């Protein structure tokens, strides 16, 4: 029986990081799911097109990278919906910071969104993260794990250095790579 994992990226696309991520994924023959911030997708439509053209899946990460706490349901859902023109109407959604209130979750589900969280957070955004600390989280992957990296300036070069190591380790463990679907 085969084992599968899902590599995902949050917060992009940005020209400083996303193209390098795509180059690594292409070299390794791996497809991933990119949860994009609408503002970034609007600014860099060529990167959205490249992600899609290379066979990766696209999901929404709100237009303004909003935390769900403290926001009205209507305002939150409007921010999510605002991504549609830039992300091609995707129905995959990941709340930034994994923070979403139950009424927001319910409204998005009623609108047809599939809400995707994760079970392996690499913490690549943390200033004290190193390749070894990120790999300590990746090594917790199991069949069906959803692994989160960030194609952001905060994650930057240390994520780019760790990503190929993580992919090689996952391959050595016999994992296959899938993209998320609705």
């Amino acid at each position: 029986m085969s084992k599968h994992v899902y590599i995902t990226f949050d917060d992009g696309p940005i020209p400083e990081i996303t193209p390098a991520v795509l180059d690594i994924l292409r070299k390794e023959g791996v497809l991933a799911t990119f949860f994009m911030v609408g503002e970034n997708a609007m600014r860099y439509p060529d990167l959205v097109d490249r992600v899609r053209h290379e066979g990766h899946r696209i999901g929404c990460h709100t237009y303004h990278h909003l935390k769900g706490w403290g926001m009205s349901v209507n305002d939150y859902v409007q921010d999510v919906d605002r991504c549609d023109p830039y992300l091609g109407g995707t129905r995959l959604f990941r709340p930034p910071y994994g923070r979403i209130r139950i009424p927001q979750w319910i409204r998005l589900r009623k609108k047809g969104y599939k809400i995707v969280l994760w079970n392996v957070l690499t913490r690549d955004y943390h200033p004290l993260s190193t390749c070894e600390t990120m790999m300590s989280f990746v090594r917790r992957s199991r069949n069906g794990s959803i692994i989160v990296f960030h194609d952001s300036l905060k994650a930057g070069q240390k994520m780019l250095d760790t990503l190929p190591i993580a992919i090689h380790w996952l391959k050595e463990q016999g994992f296959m790579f899938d993209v998320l679907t609705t």
Side-chain angles (χ1 to χ4, degrees), residues 1 16 21 48 54-55 59 63 84 114 123 130 165 175 180:
M1 181 167 174
E16 299 87 349
V21 168
V48 176
E54 293 186 14
Y63 189 84
D84 279 353
K114 178 180 180 181
R123 293 176 175 83
T130 65
I165 295 166
F175 285 104
L180 296 162

Side-chain angles (χ1 to χ4, degrees), residues 70-91:
M71 291 198 67
S72 76
V73 172
N74 287 338
D75 288 346
Y76 192 77
V77 171
Q78 284 177 351
D79 197 79
V80 172
D81 286 342
R82 187 172 176 189
C83 294
D84 279 353
Y86 310 107
L87 301 180
T90 181
R91 290 339 237 176

Side-chain angles (χ1 to χ4, degrees), residues 93-128:
F93 175 72
R94 174 175 287 155
Y97 313 100
R99 299 188 68 131
I100 186 169
R101 294 185 309 115
I102 291 172
Q104 295 161 338
W105 181 293
I106 291 168
R107 177 83 63 80
L108 289 170
R109 290 291 297 146
K110 285 182 181 176
K111 292 182 69 92
Y113 286 95
K114 178 180 180 181
I115 299 164
V116 179
L117 296 175
W118 61 85
N119 67 325
V120 176
L121 179 63
T122 62
R123 293 176 175 83
D124 54 357
Y125 52 82
H126 194 281
L128 298 179

Side-chain angles (χ1 to χ4, degrees), residues 30-97:
V30 170
L31 294 178
T33 303
F34 287 77
F35 288 93
M36 296 182 177
V37 173
E39 285 179 306
N40 292 340
M42 180 204 56
R43 285 187 192 114
Y44 308 111
D46 54 323
L47 290 177
V48 176
D49 290 343
R50 180 176 172 195
V51 168
R52 187 175 287 114
H53 181 262
E54 293 186 14
H56 304 286
R57 192 61 47 98
I58 293 175
C60 175
H61 201 46
T62 73
Y63 189 84
H64 292 102
H65 200 264
L66 299 176
K67 290 181 184 175
W69 299 113
M71 291 198 67
S72 76
V73 172
N74 287 338
D75 288 346
Y76 192 77
V77 171
Q78 284 177 351
D79 197 79
V80 172
D81 286 342
R82 187 172 176 189
C83 294
D84 279 353
Y86 310 107
L87 301 180
T90 181
R91 290 339 237 176
L92 288 175
F93 175 72
R94 174 175 287 155
Y97 313 100

